[in-house]
Amino acid sequence: MNIITVATTPFAGQKPGTSGLRKKVKVFQQPGYLENFVQAIFDSLSGQQGKTLVLGGDGRYFNDTAIQIILRMAAAAGFGRVLVGCNGILSTPAASAVIRKQGAFGGIILSASHNPGGPDDDFGIKYNLENGGPANETFTDAVYRRTQEISAYRIVEAPDVDLTSLGETRIGSMQVCIINPVADYAELLESLFDFDRIAGLLARPEFRMRFDAMHAVNGPYAHAILEGRLGAPKGTVINGTPLPDFGGGHPDPNPVYAAELVSALADAQSGLSFGAASDGDGDRNMIVGRGFIVSPSDSLAVIAANYKLIPAYAKGLSGVARSMPTSCAVDRVAAEMGIPCYETPTGWKYFGTLLDAGKATLCGEESAGTGSNHVREKDGLWAVLYWLNILAVRDEPVEQIVREHWRRFGRNIYSRHDYEGIETAKAETLMDELRKKLPTLIGMECDGMRIEAADDFCYIDPVDGSRSDKQGIRILLENGSRVVFRLSGTGTEGATLRLYLERYEADASRHTIPTQESLAPLVALAEKVARIVPITGRKAPDVIS
Ligand code: VG1
Ligand code: CO
C-alpha cells in the first residue's frame, strides 16, 4: 500500500456548527480543503487501527468525489474496513443504525441536510461515534483546533472504487464493502412498530397516503419500506429518486418548501388522508393530515402521549428530551406521566448522553426532528411510521388526534420565524445588544403578560457535566409564553436569525384562533426589544413555520 504524505496549510473557518461542517461545494472543491478536515478528524481519533468505519451521504453533488477521497484517506489512517452505502447513499438515521448494528468504530456522514445542493450550493461532513451519534462538542472542538495547525495529510494511491454494485474490494490492506443502504435500517424499524397493523391501514381504500421524498436520500428507503414491506400502492412515494441537486429545491419539509404536499392534502379532490415528507438526509419529518399541518413540537408531544400504542415503547418511557427552543408541549405530557423532561441546546448531539444513559427514550426538536433510543440521530421515517402506527390503532383523522391532545393538555401555540441571509455583523450586533438589555426587560408587560425572566441559555449536561454557553436568548413571560432568539449554525451564507414564539392556551375555545394572530403580540415584543427592523432592515421573516 503506497501511502503518500501531502504537505498542506490550514484553511480558516473549518469549525463544525450545529451539525458538522457545512460550506459551499466550491469551498469544499478547493484542493486540500476536504482532505484537511478529514485528516483533522482522523488525527483526533485514537485506536482506529483495524477497525470499521461507516461512510455514506445524502447523494448530493460532490458526494461521490468526497467518498473516493475519504476511502483512500481511511486506508492511510489504518482503518481495517469501510462499509459504504451503495451509490454512496446512507441516510443519517440509517448510518447511525449501521454503525450500531455492525459495531463500527464510527462513521462519516456527508450531508448538508436541508440546505440546497448542486455545484453552486452546499455540502457538509460530520463524524459520528461508535454509539451511532454525532460527535460531541469536545470532539468537534478538537477537530477544529487540529484544522488550524495541520501541515500534512495522508492518502493512499489507488484507483476509484466502484460504488454502484454490492460487494467487497480492497484499497491496500483495507477492505471496502459496498452495502445495501436500506437493509439494516428497515429491519430495525420493523422491530419497533406493528407492521401488520400499518399494512392493514395502508390497504384500506379510504386511507390514502403520500410521502414526498423531495428528491432526497429517503426515496429508496421510503420505496422499500412503505411500498415494499408495508404494501402501500405504487405511487405513494413521490420524488423518490435522490438527485444531486434535489431537483433544484430546498429539501426541507416545512410548509414553504413542501408547499405542494401541503396543498395536495388541503384539496378534498385529492382523496389524501395522510401526507409526510423528509429532508435531504432523511432525519427530519413533516406530518400532514387532511387540511392540517402538525407542528413538529406538537408531533413530539402526541408521539410521547401515545407511547402505549407502539410495540417498542408500550412498556413505558424512561424520559423525554427536547431542544430548548422546542415548545413545552411535551413537558406537559411528561409531567402527567410522571417522567423527566430534559431541555438541551439545539442540535441532536446533545441528546446522545441522555439516550446512552437511558435517561430519555424519545427526543425531539421544533425543526421537524423526532427520534428515539433506537438510533442516535433524529429519524424522519421513524416518525412517519410512528404516526402511521398511531393512526392504524386509533382510526381517527390526524387533526382530531391533535385537537384532542390540545383539549387534554392545553395548546402550546408555536411558530418559528426565520430571517435568512442577514449580514453576519448585523446579526451579531442584534444579539449582543439584546444580551446586554436582558436585565432591564424583567417586569415589562406584553399583551397583559409580564416578563418574568430573560437569559442566555446555558446547558450543563446532566450525564457528563459538560457545559455549553450562549445557546439562545430567552425571554420568559407569565404562563409559559416565550420568545427565543438564536443564530443558526447550519447556514453557509451570512447569518440566519431564528425567532421562536410560544404562548400557552388552556382554553379550548381559543385553540381555533389562527396561530400567527395569537402570537402577534409576541412578535411585536421581539421586534421592539431586539430592534429587528432597524438593525437588519428586514420588515418580515423569509420563512414562517
Ligand atoms: C437546524 C435546526 C436544529 C437541527 C439542525 C440540524 O440548526 O434548528 O434543530 O438540529 O438544523 O438538522 P440551526 O443551527 O440552523 O438552527 V439537519 O436535519 O440540518 O441535520
Ligand atoms: Co437533516
Side-chain angles (χ1 to χ4, degrees):
M1 187 159 80
N2 186 20
I3 299 177
I4 40 179
T5 301
V6 181
T8 187
T9 48
F11 288 91
Q14 291 197 319
K15 189 172 170 52
T18 313
S19 180
L21 181 70
R22 293 189 188 173
K23 299 283 173 196
K24 292 281 174 213
V25 166
K26 292 260 176 345
V27 173
F28 270 104
Q29 283 171 327
Q30 299 171 84
Y33 191 92
L34 175 71
E35 290 86 345
N36 276 16
F37 190 73
V38 172
Q39 190 64 54
I41 292 174
F42 291 161
D43 289 350
S44 308
L45 298 171
S46 62
Q48 74 267 34
Q49 271 65 32
K51 299 277 174 59
T52 299
L53 180 75
V54 172
L55 178 60
D58 62 12
R60 68 179 58 225
Y61 188 84
F62 200 58
N63 196 52
D64 293 358
T65 313
I67 285 179
Q68 300 293 352
I69 293 171
I70 295 167
L71 280 173
R72 290 188 284 131
M73 292 186 66
F79 279 96
R81 185 168 74 134
V82 181
L83 307 177
V84 192
C86 193
N87 293 314
I89 291 288
L90 271 177
S91 77
T92 292
S96 186
V98 174
I99 294 170
R100 294 169 68 78
K101 179 155 179 217
Q102 304 298 332
F105 183 80
I108 290 183
I109 303 178
L110 303 171
S111 171
S113 188
H114 56 289
N115 297 15
D120 297 318
D121 282 305
D122 296 356
F123 191 74
I125 173 169
K126 73 172 175 171
Y127 186 76
N128 281 30
L129 303 168
E130 66 185 336
N131 71 348
N136 57 25
E137 244 180 4
T138 313
F139 183 83
T140 55
D141 286 349
V143 172
Y144 177 51
R145 275 197 304 278
R146 186 74 193 134
T147 65
Q148 294 171 300
E149 61 192 25
I150 195 160
S151 60
Y153 64 84
R154 285 153 54 80
I155 190 160
V156 165
E157 270 182 337
D160 277 0
V161 171
D162 174 14
L163 302 175
T164 62
S165 44
L166 303 180
E168 286 178 25
T169 173
R170 284 190 169 273
I171 295 181
S173 50
M174 186 185 80
Q175 199 183 8
V176 179
C177 306
I178 310 296
I179 60 166
N180 175 334
V182 181
D184 285 345
Y185 174 72
E187 192 182 295
L188 175 60
L189 291 186
E190 193 159 355
S191 74
L192 305 176
F193 300 105
D194 189 338
F195 267 38
D196 289 339
R197 207 147 179 182
I198 298 175
L201 172 72
L202 291 168
R204 286 188 217 159
E206 74 281 7
F207 185 85
R208 284 197 48 213
M209 158 174 191
R210 175 173 294 171
F211 181 89
D212 188 345
M214 304 188 86
H215 294 299
V217 79
N218 255 351
Y221 295 88
H223 279 304
I225 295 169
L226 296 173
E227 296 174 354
R229 294 189 183 219
L230 289 165
K234 291 266 170 291
T236 297
V237 177
I238 63 164
N239 302 322
T241 305
L243 297 175
D245 68 347
F246 308 112
H250 276 247
D252 192 356
N254 66 35
V256 175
Y257 298 126
E260 248 178 80
L261 179 73
V262 172
S263 60
L265 266 292
D267 176 7
Q269 303 290 319
S270 73
L272 291 168
S273 26
F274 183 63
S278 55
D279 72 333
D281 60 334
D283 57 0
R284 298 186 180 198
N285 72 88
M286 181 183 204
I287 302 294
V288 195
R290 194 173 284 151
F292 186 86
I293 302 171
V294 183
S295 99
S297 294
D298 283 337
S299 177
L300 174 64
V302 170
I303 279 176
N306 285 276
Y307 74 96
K308 279 195 183 137
L309 311 183
I310 313 295
Y313 310 103
K315 288 207 190 90
L317 309 175
S318 63
V320 292
R322 62 163 171 82
S323 65
M324 181 273 282
T326 303
S327 99
C328 301
V330 74
D331 303 39
R332 294 180 182 272
V333 177
E336 202 197 79
M337 284 163 60
I339 57 170
C341 177
Y342 299 90
E343 185 177 44
T344 60
T346 293
W348 209 262
K349 59 179 180 263
Y350 295 103
F351 293 132
T353 51
L354 298 171
L355 291 165
D356 284 348
K359 287 184 178 292
T361 309
L362 303 177
C363 307
E365 293 192 278
E366 51 65 42
S367 53
T370 3
S372 87
N373 57 0
H374 69 294
V375 287
R376 293 293 180 274
E377 291 278 5
K378 54 190 187 271
D379 188 342
L381 265 173
W382 173 89
V384 175
L385 291 174
Y386 202 122
W387 267 94
L388 282 170
N389 203 147
I390 294 174
L391 296 172
V393 178
R394 289 186 52 169
D395 197 15
E396 293 161 66
V398 170
E399 177 168 1
Q400 192 175 322
I401 289 174
V402 177
R403 289 202 183 277
E404 260 182 45
H405 183 96
W406 291 342
R407 268 194 293 279
R408 184 167 156 211
F409 294 97
R411 178 177 176 193
N412 290 73
I413 301 167
Y414 186 85
S415 181
R416 186 177 98 185
H417 291 197
D418 293 331
Y419 299 77
E420 296 178 342
I422 301 174
E423 240 175 78
T424 308
K426 288 182 179 170
E428 277 163 8
T429 305
L430 183 147
M431 294 298 277
D432 288 345
E433 282 190 7
L434 182 58
R435 210 169 267 129
K436 285 194 198 112
K437 214 184 270 177
L438 291 178
T440 67
L441 301 180
I442 318 286
M444 243 173 85
E445 293 260 327
C446 167
D447 201 25
M449 297 173 285
R450 196 178 157 269
I451 297 179
E452 288 180 329
D455 64 6
D456 203 344
F457 182 57
C458 162
Y459 179 63
I460 301 197
D461 187 306
V463 180
D464 67 14
S466 58
R467 178 190 172 110
S468 307
D469 285 303
K470 292 193 174 178
Q471 295 296 326
I473 295 177
R474 318 188 282 187
I475 300 180
L476 308 169
L477 298 100
E478 274 171 305
N479 196 20
S481 296
R482 307 190 291 168
V483 180
V484 175
F485 300 80
R486 255 190 85 244
L487 296 184
S488 158
T490 57
T492 58
E493 249 178 279
T496 292
L497 170 68
R498 303 203 195 285
L499 181 61
Y500 308 84
L501 307 144
E502 176 170 0
R503 176 169 198 162
Y504 181 69
E505 186 57 79
D507 177 359
S509 72
R510 297 176 58 84
H511 291 169
T512 45
I513 300 174
T515 302
Q516 299 306 323
E517 194 178 313
S518 300
L519 298 175
L522 293 171
V523 175
L525 170 74
E527 284 187 340
K528 187 170 133 206
V529 300
R531 303 202 314 119
I532 297 176
V533 183
I535 296 179
T536 69
R538 299 296 177 82
K539 295 219 165 54
D542 300 281
V543 178
I544 294 184
S545 53

